[in-house]
């Protein structure tokens, strides 16, 4: 498929032919959901923790005598039914990660790129670079392009002035091409790829 290349200033910079095997697929929601779920699960810290009855610091003495009180029999004040006791079946420190085949992850990325292309929310620019790291100037540039919620993908090396200028703009993310991922593509309204990023993606999926 052919797509127009623009500059950050909004001027025409020619055309590019995108691979149909990467940008021309019919997006599958089930694949995208699987990859996003895998990413978010991997991102979870899993440091949630409550104390069980074995970890509560309380006396081990029997609360009161077994018979003659008319009350239920209890042996420990650490059990969950008492205030200050341990939590029954509470969360423990663990990893939330689960496996997802590498081929499924790669296919998910292709479908995410295809989804943006199909929805006409994919923009290709010649390069993501600016002369000065001025946030105010970059906001004005993005306003001309109609970008208020976007993921910017540059080449292997990002222009530091562009990265610094964009870092303070809300709802704008900037990543090198090796950091591209399904979750970030889908969470932003527009995907902006540099020419270098398109070439790197097509080389990656050869």
């Amino acid at each position: 498929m052919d797509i127009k290349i623009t500059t950050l200033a909004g001027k025409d910079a020619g055309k590019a032919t995108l691979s149909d095997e990467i940008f021309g697929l019919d997006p599958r929601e089930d694949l995208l959901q699987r990859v996003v779920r895998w990413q978010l699960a991997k991102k979870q810290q899993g440091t949630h923790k409550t104390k069980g009855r074995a970890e509560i610091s309380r006396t081990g003495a029997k609360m009161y005598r077994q018979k003659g009180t008319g009350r239920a029999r209890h042996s420990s004040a650490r059990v969950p039914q008492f205030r200050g006791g341990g939590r029954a079946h509470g969360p423990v420190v663990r990893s939330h990660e689960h496996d997802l085949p590498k081929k499924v992850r790669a296919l998910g990325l292709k479908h995410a790129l295809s989804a943006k292309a199909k929805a006409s929310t994919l923009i290709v620019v010649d390069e993501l670079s600016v002369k000065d790291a001025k946030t105010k100037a970059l906001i004005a540039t993005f306003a001309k392009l109609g970008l208020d919620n976007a993921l910017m993908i540059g080449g292997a090396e990002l222009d530091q002035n562009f990265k610094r200028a964009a870092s303070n703009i809300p709802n704008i993310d900037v990543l090198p091409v090796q950091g591209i991922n399904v979750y970030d593509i889908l969470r932003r309204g527009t995907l902006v790829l540099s020419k270098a990023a398109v070439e790197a993606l097509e080389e990656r999926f050869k």
Side-chain angles (χ1 to χ4, degrees):
M1 60 182 288
D2 291 331
I3 192 167
K4 187 175 75 173
I5 301 174
T6 63
T7 63
L8 282 177
K11 296 178 181 177
D12 190 11
K15 285 187 176 183
T17 302
L18 303 180
S19 170
D20 287 336
E21 292 180 4
I22 303 171
F23 296 92
L25 302 174
D26 192 20
R28 280 178 50 187
E29 289 184 8
D30 63 313
L31 266 178
L32 297 176
Q33 187 269 345
R34 283 181 68 187
V35 179
V36 168
R37 181 173 169 269
W38 171 79
Q39 270 191 254
L40 294 182
K42 193 175 181 183
K43 199 176 179 182
Q44 271 189 274
Q45 281 188 316
T47 52
H48 42 15
K49 177 77 174 71
T50 56
K51 288 186 178 182
R53 62 180 291 181
E55 299 165 305
I56 294 294
S57 179
R58 267 187 171 182
T59 178
K62 189 171 174 68
M63 295 180 69
Y64 45 78
R65 61 198 177 100
Q66 180 85 346
K67 292 180 172 290
T69 64
R71 301 173 67 185
R73 296 168 291 184
H74 289 293
S75 65
S76 172
R78 298 173 184 157
V79 290
Q81 62 263 41
F82 293 119
R83 183 174 180 176
R87 173 85 179 271
H89 310 298
V92 294
V93 176
R94 68 186 180 92
S95 170
H96 291 268
E97 287 187 49
H98 58 267
D99 290 334
L100 189 68
K102 195 172 181 180
K103 286 184 179 180
V104 175
R105 296 182 337 234
L107 191 59
L109 182 55
K110 289 181 183 179
H111 279 257
L113 293 168
S114 296
K116 289 297 181 185
K118 190 173 183 180
S120 300
T121 52
L122 173 65
I123 297 174
V124 178
V125 296
D126 58 345
E127 59 180 1
L128 296 175
S129 63
V130 290
K131 289 182 181 178
D132 301 308
K134 302 287 185 183
T135 300
K136 188 175 179 181
L138 196 58
I139 289 173
T141 300
F142 288 165
K144 290 177 185 176
L145 292 171
L147 299 175
D148 55 3
N149 189 306
L151 171 66
M152 310 269 181
I153 303 294
E157 296 290 333
L158 290 175
D159 179 66
Q160 290 304 306
N161 285 342
F162 183 86
K163 186 180 177 181
R164 289 191 188 108
S167 64
N168 290 327
I169 305 176
N171 301 322
I172 298 291
D173 295 330
V174 181
L175 291 173
V177 69
Q178 57 267 32
I180 192 170
N181 64 86
V182 173
Y183 177 67
D184 281 331
I185 290 173
L186 297 181
R187 71 191 285 261
R188 295 296 177 207
T190 307
L191 175 63
V192 180
L193 297 175
S194 68
K195 278 172 64 178
V198 172
E199 290 167 5
L201 284 169
E202 292 188 345
E203 182 66 29
R204 175 176 170 180
F205 291 120
K206 264 186 179 180

